[in-house]
Amino acid sequence: MLTTLPSRVLVAFAGAGSAALLAGAFAFQYLGGLAPCALCLWQRWPHAVAVGIMVLALLVPNRWLMVLGTLAALATAAIGGFHAGVELGWWEGLQSCSGGSIAGVSMDDLLNPNAAVAAPVRCDQVPWAMFGISMAGWNMIASLGLAGIWTLAARRA
């Protein structure tokens, strides 16, 4: 079905997919109470870029914008894949999100024994999964699909 759609429709679909994934991440954070780790936050930025590229590509259709959309989707898929590997223990994650980091904590709070400083969210723990796949894993899978749609749009432009 996707192979018969015009490139503008594909661009809109791919950009809307990134917007939906962003909305889902914010819903898990603000409605579900699941605070994001550093890698979770990093996965959001390429989606935001892809939404911006979608707007530009719809206003000024250009094959290179669609290629950039592909790269944005591949970037978040790569971060999601790395994050999923950290969660599964396949490799070590970033030191800043695998425990013990004091990044973002002020010196006053560090010296104040009464300060309520929350523990950093760990990247190596899975706060939610569906069918045994974490949010990072689902982001990778969905983003690879979006990269395919962006690529199809670029080939069609």
Side-chain angles (χ1 to χ4, degrees), residues 9-92:
V9 173
L10 293 170
V11 165
F13 188 70
S18 280
L21 289 171
L22 270 176
F26 284 119
F28 272 102
Q29 180 178 353
Y30 293 109
L31 301 177
L34 295 176
C37 71
L39 288 173
C40 294
L41 294 173
W42 287 9
Q43 290 172 77
R44 295 178 186 187
W45 286 105
H47 283 302
V49 169
V51 171
I53 291 169
M54 172 198 65
V55 171
L56 284 173
L58 289 174
L59 293 173
V60 183
N62 181 306
R63 173 174 283 149
W64 291 107
L65 286 173
M66 297 169 199
V67 170
L68 289 176
T70 300
L71 293 176
L74 289 174
T76 192
I79 298 167
F82 175 76
H83 190 183
V86 170
E87 292 171 334
L88 292 168
W90 293 347
W91 45 73
E92 276 193 45

